[in-house]
Amino acid sequence: MMAELERSYEKYFRQNRLPHLWCPGCGNGIVMKAIVQAIEKKGLTQDNTVIVSGIGCSSRASGYMDFDTIHTAHGRAIPFATGIKLARPELNVVVITGDGDCTAIGGNHFIHGCRRNVDLTVVLFNNNIYGMTGGQASPMTPMGGKATTAPYGSVDRTFDACALAEAAGATYVARSTAFHVQHLTDMIAKGFDNKGFSFIEAMVQCPTAFGRRNKFKSPADMLKWMRDHSVMKAAWDKLEDVKKGEAIGQGKFPIGLLYESSGSELDYDAAYDQVIERAGGAGK
Ligand code: SF4
């Protein structure tokens, strides 16, 4: 029975597209599996769920997932997903994106998706670097972190994508890591419950492009780093500001549900329905 449960997720993958092309030890598969487990947990189906991805290592996931999927242009997953949601509001639309895809090339689409509160669930695989294109620094490379474009350490400050999402208007914001698989699955599943823009940052190890340049000996070392530097939100909130500042200085970060709106904001589709009503019901 346990084995059956454990393997029940396999139906969500295109077996003929496997094995995947991710490097040994890459964490992308962990996050991809957490997404399908969250889908299963919430009783969503392969017929009513669409997966939309951008470009990059993580965005390859859409090719492996047996749903209606679209692998779009670099940074453009959110606009494609917005179009799908407006045309077919009954569908669950999931966006898979990476830190470069979402916060650099697609940065404007990201903030405007949040601002519009489009009813999407966006999972950002944060591997802290451009993996597929050769290890260039992304907006989420830690300050001081090494990349091919920053061989002596990046001098750019790092985007906090969760803070950015909240400030831009997302109505559900959470963070977890590839180390905390069950927690990550729960954060994604809760995101499906939100009628509006749900953003989940999933920290994920990239041993090839980030780890080996930044003194991580192995993928397991990277997972241990996530374990040792993450702080559950409830404990984070109890820290005084000074202690919080010290924790941030040590590379620590909160995980969990970081923000959830009271539910008073209309999602984009509902707002458009009102426009249609004002216009006399044409077009829908
Ligand atoms: Fe994964 Fe990094 Fe390899 Fe890309 S380069 S597949 S993110 S380990």
Side-chain angles (χ1 to χ4, degrees), residues 10-22:
E10 286 188 356
K11 69 178 181 196
Y12 296 110
F13 297 112
R14 296 175 176 138
Q15 299 298 329
N16 62 347
R17 299 293 300 275
L18 297 173
H20 59 70
L21 51 63
W22 292 318

Side-chain angles (χ1 to χ4, degrees), residues 21-28 57-58 127 129 131-132 205-210:
L21 51 63
W22 292 318
C23 308
C26 175
N28 286 342
C57 291
S58 55
N127 67 358
I129 204 156
M132 195 175 78
Q205 77 276 16
C206 166
T208 302
F210 187 79

Side-chain angles (χ1 to χ4, degrees), residues 134-163:
Q136 298 91 341
S138 87
M140 295 181 78
T141 299
M143 209 174 168
K146 292 185 178 166
T148 50
T149 50
Y152 304 105
S154 173
V155 293
D156 296 354
R157 284 182 291 170
T158 312
F159 258 154
D160 179 338
C162 289

